Amino acid sequence: MSTQDVDVIRTFFRLFDEGRLTDIEALLAPDFEWTYHGPASLPWAGVYRGVEGFRAFFGIVRDLIRVQECEAQEYLDAGDRVVVLGVSRTLVLANGARYEAPWINVFTVRDGLISRYLDLFDTASVVEALERDPREAVPAP
């Protein structure tokens, strides 16, 4: 793992935290592939390719959830990959449910651009929150 590769991924997360999705597109390789593992009941599970796929993913989640915090906690050397461990805290727009989900992201960086992004999440907590009855939602503190 090179320091340059880690810097690319740190930039990815910084831009995400700042809501600058368009700027993230400049970090994506032409053959970019994002795999988000999850059950069929998770509306955004699937494989997204290229900038168009990146945009399509956020087109799906935009009307469903609001990530309130995406905390990249640790960056790990995995040879030709950068592995990031973290946690996200998210609001479900339709029912007001909130969930906290640990995640693992595995990035492949080639020539300074992200070519692969494997997104592994605690999908059970996400699906449960999406399906929760709005009357059971806990109000924000």
Side-chain angles (χ1 to χ4, degrees):
M1 174 174 71
S2 77
T3 302
Q4 294 162 329
D5 291 350
V6 173
D7 288 344
V8 168
I9 303 309
R10 286 184 188 277
T11 300
F12 174 94
F13 281 105
R14 180 180 51 79
L15 293 172
F16 180 82
D17 286 344
E18 295 171 0
R20 297 169 53 194
L21 298 179
T22 303
D23 292 335
I24 290 175
E25 294 175 5
L27 300 176
L28 307 179
D31 65 343
F32 172 73
E33 182 177 283
W34 180 356
T35 303
Y36 192 105
H37 281 279
S41 58
L42 189 59
W44 54 84
V47 178
Y48 300 88
R49 291 183 175 87
V51 170
E52 298 79 20
F54 181 81
R55 291 175 184 160
F57 173 87
F58 286 102
I60 294 168
V61 300
R62 174 182 352 215
D63 296 328
L64 299 173
I65 61 172
R66 286 290 174 273
V67 176
Q68 297 174 314
E69 183 179 8
C70 180
E71 181 184 351
Q73 298 171 325
E74 191 171 355
Y75 295 81
L76 303 173
D77 179 346
D80 64 343
R81 291 179 175 78
V82 178
V83 177
V84 185
L85 307 176
V87 65
S88 291
R89 293 166 190 87
T90 304
L91 169 70
V92 177
L93 298 175
N95 63 15
R98 296 173 189 280
Y99 64 86
E100 179 175 300
W103 48 261
I104 300 170
N105 291 169
V106 181
F107 293 91
T108 302
V109 179
R110 187 183 66 244
D111 298 326
L113 297 173
I114 301 168
S115 61
R116 298 286 177 270
Y117 177 9
L118 174 60
D119 203 345
L120 303 168
F121 245 80
D122 171 13
T123 56
S125 63
V126 178
V127 170
E128 187 277 326
L130 288 170
E131 296 174 349
R132 193 173 307 150
D133 186 313
R135 296 171 291 198
E136 298 174 13
V138 178

